[in-house]
Amino acid sequence: MSATPSVGSVIVVGVGIMGLSLAWALSRRGVKVTLFDQGPIPNPMSSSLDEHRINRHAYGKLNGYARMMPQAFRAWDALWADLGRSHYEETGGIYVLRHEDAWYDNTVAQLAEMGISCKDLGAAEVVRRLPVLNEQGISRAVEVGGSGLLFPRRIMTDLIVHLNLLGVEFQAHTPVTDVDPDRATVTTSRGVFGADRVIVAAGPWIGRLVPGLDGVAVPSRQAVLYLAPPPEHLRVWMSAPVVVVRDVEAGLYCLPPRRGTRLKIGDHRFSLTGDPDEDRIATADDIAPIWAGMKKAYRDVESYSIIEPRACFYTVTDDETFRVVQPGANGFAVSACSGHGFKLAPLVASGIAAAALGEQPVERIAPWAAGKAEPSLPLF
Ligand SMILES: Cc1cc2nc3c(=O)[nH]c(=O)nc-3n(C[C@H](O)[C@H](O)[C@H](O)COP(=O)(O)OP(=O)(O)OC[C@H]3O[C@@H](n4cnc5c(N)ncnc54)[C@H](O)[C@@H]3O)c2cc1C
């Protein structure tokens, strides 16, 4: 593929998974890319840099995103081909319901539509398979395919090396203080830089650079706990799938240890508070709701050690969808939202790259990235 003649260079602000995926999508089309980050690259303060992230077809009420997932998986496959190795491990998933809601029925219908396996398990059967679970209070359990773990630290460092080879330029420790989306320039502490296009992918900080997203893409402080369980539980966890437990007070997701990662648990409910400049250490108040949810959902929780209580940031929109905007003739911005921005990044970035290069109108890309249009574009 070759670039549209008028777009030879693009500046991307923010080097999380979205910024890196944009650089990948653009540089494989022959465009010269310069990446700016306010911190090191990759940045431990970013939403993206962590040990693992879930990739899955199951999507609850967000039907539009469920329909995008087959192409999102193909986008990852294209990335693995370019990197020369895969950083995805299929584990399957188990969803445990401890209260009645429509999430399961929606998900079951979506998976059937996509031809992904999905099987109801009784409470006794799910606990037989996963003896770390507490059987009391389980009303339904579903085992699904098409799910597994992405390994962000490996993905991001491999992408950085790959992009470096392709000639992408990195400007680390260079906060961007202003973006001109008409001129495609950015102002930094080291001067003003320009290109043919500028794309802002600044994660939870995005509202500071793109006024139209201020108050729309809201930073949300979320806690995760890295855990050391007792050895008999650890043996179960080491071959466990991704486990999601939904209760009235909590939406706990548990990621098992794989490929050098630790056991991690988090709560998907949004805090909708916090400043992304804060440190990343979870407080007792951050931890309490997760611990309370764990005690209901899992056995022997008091014998698990919390080895790292960590705070991180989601960027949340009111309907949990991505926002793609064009604030000026030559400038774009994307907010990869809520708890699902990692899995969709290579796909959505490819759509935004197509818009920035004039191959697709932004009016088509924005609703598509929001999961509100045709699920599949001619990208992968
Ligand atoms: C605890 C947790 C669990 C999650 N689980 C999942 C999951 O299982 N599956 C999934 O798909 N998604 C998940 N997500 C969501 C996903 O990780 C995010 O949506 C995604 O990583 C966002 O990427 P991003 O590149 O948009 O933002 P970020 O990764 O935050 O990157 C933005 C970058 O912009 C830089 N920046 C900001 N302002 C400036 C500036 N002025 N100048 C220069 N640089 C700047 C920042 O330093 C940062 O490096 C989870 C998120 C969290 C926090």
Side-chain angles (χ1 to χ4, degrees):
M1 275 178 279
S2 62
T4 305
S6 59
V7 183
S9 61
V10 176
I11 283 173
V12 176
V13 181
V15 194
I17 191 60
M18 186 52 79
L20 287 168
S21 299
L22 284 163
W24 171 65
L26 290 161
S27 54
R28 70 203 297 261
R29 288 166 160 88
V31 177
K32 167 82 186 142
V33 180
T34 307
L35 288 167
F36 286 81
D37 204 281
Q38 60 191 351
I41 296 175
N43 189 342
M45 297 283 279
S46 67
S47 299
S48 303
L49 194 64
D50 197 353
E51 295 187 6
H52 27 34
R53 289 282 178 264
I54 305 170
N55 201 9
R56 54 176 158 152
H57 291 80
Y59 239 109
K61 63 182 184 200
L62 299 174
N63 287 316
Y65 282 114
R67 295 194 182 103
M68 288 169 79
M69 285 317 297
Q71 198 176 29
F73 271 81
R74 290 201 294 281
W76 283 110
D77 286 341
L79 178 61
W80 309 145
D82 283 6
L83 296 181
R85 57 178 167 170
S86 163
H87 295 302
Y88 172 68
E89 184 167 326
E90 178 82 21
T91 61
I94 287 192
Y95 294 84
V96 178
L97 182 68
R98 298 177 60 85
H99 74 123
E100 292 307 324
D101 74 14
W103 197 94
Y104 281 73
D105 289 331
N106 273 342
T107 298
V108 170
Q110 283 159 5
L111 295 178
E113 193 184 308
M114 289 184 278
I116 305 281
S117 67
C118 179
K119 188 176 161 207
D120 259 298
L121 306 172
E125 174 59 12
V126 76
V127 172
R128 192 188 65 74
R129 301 248 198 114
L130 280 178
V132 291
L133 282 169
N134 199 351
E135 184 172 345
Q136 204 183 13
I138 296 178
S139 56
R140 192 170 175 191
V142 184
E143 180 183 52
V144 302
S147 312
L149 296 175
L150 293 161
F151 300 97
R153 199 172 290 278
R154 294 171 185 214
I155 293 167
M156 293 174 78
T157 48
D158 259 11
L159 250 171
I160 288 162
V161 173
H162 178 69
L163 294 172
N164 197 168
L165 275 174
L166 294 178
V168 169
E169 197 182 316
F170 296 90
Q171 300 280 357
H173 296 287
T174 312
V176 169
T177 51
D178 190 48
V179 176
D180 185 330
D182 288 312
R183 290 204 172 94
T185 58
V186 294
T187 305
T188 77
S189 50
R190 293 193 291 114
V192 176
F193 296 78
D196 296 323
R197 299 281 186 274
V198 59
I199 308 177
V200 183
W205 295 267
I206 197 156
R208 297 183 191 174
L209 289 176
V210 183
L213 291 178
D214 192 20
V216 173
V218 177
S220 180
R221 182 180 166 95
Q222 307 287 135
V224 293
L225 306 180
Y226 289 95
L227 299 165
E232 66 276 16
H233 283 240
L234 180 59
R235 274 188 279 277
V236 175
W237 279 117
M238 287 177 80
S239 57
V242 169
V243 182
V244 177
V245 179
R246 291 175 68 88
D247 206 333
V248 189
E249 306 93 13
L252 297 180
Y253 55 88
C254 219
L255 282 68
R258 290 286 202 292
R259 298 194 195 180
T261 65
R262 297 169 290 174
L263 176 64
K264 182 175 80 181
I265 190 159
D267 186 346
H268 181 62
R269 285 172 309 157
F270 309 131
S271 79
L272 299 176
T273 60
D275 178 329
D277 290 336
E278 290 164 359
D279 70 36
R280 294 294 188 265
I281 302 164
T283 63
D285 284 348
D286 293 323
I287 294 169
I290 304 183
W291 201 244
M294 268 191 80
K295 282 206 233 167
K296 283 174 78 182
Y298 292 101
R299 288 176 38 229
D300 304 333
V301 167
E302 298 297 352
S303 61
Y304 284 53
S305 298
I306 300 175
I307 52 177
E308 188 186 346
R310 189 158 171 220
C312 358
F313 277 84
Y314 280 0
T315 314
V316 180
T317 56
D318 56 1
D319 57 359
E320 297 182 48
T321 66
F322 285 48
R323 294 292 198 279
V324 176
V325 293
Q326 184 174 9
N330 296 307
F332 299 81
V334 52
S335 170
C337 286
S338 310
H340 60 134
F342 204 95
K343 66 169 87 71
L344 284 159
L347 177 63
V348 170
S350 299
I352 297 165
L357 300 184
E359 296 166 5
Q360 293 282 345
V362 74
E363 295 75 16
R364 186 175 186 201
I365 294 301
W368 166 78
K372 293 176 179 166
E374 78 267 54
S376 194
L377 288 178
L379 296 167
F380 293 95

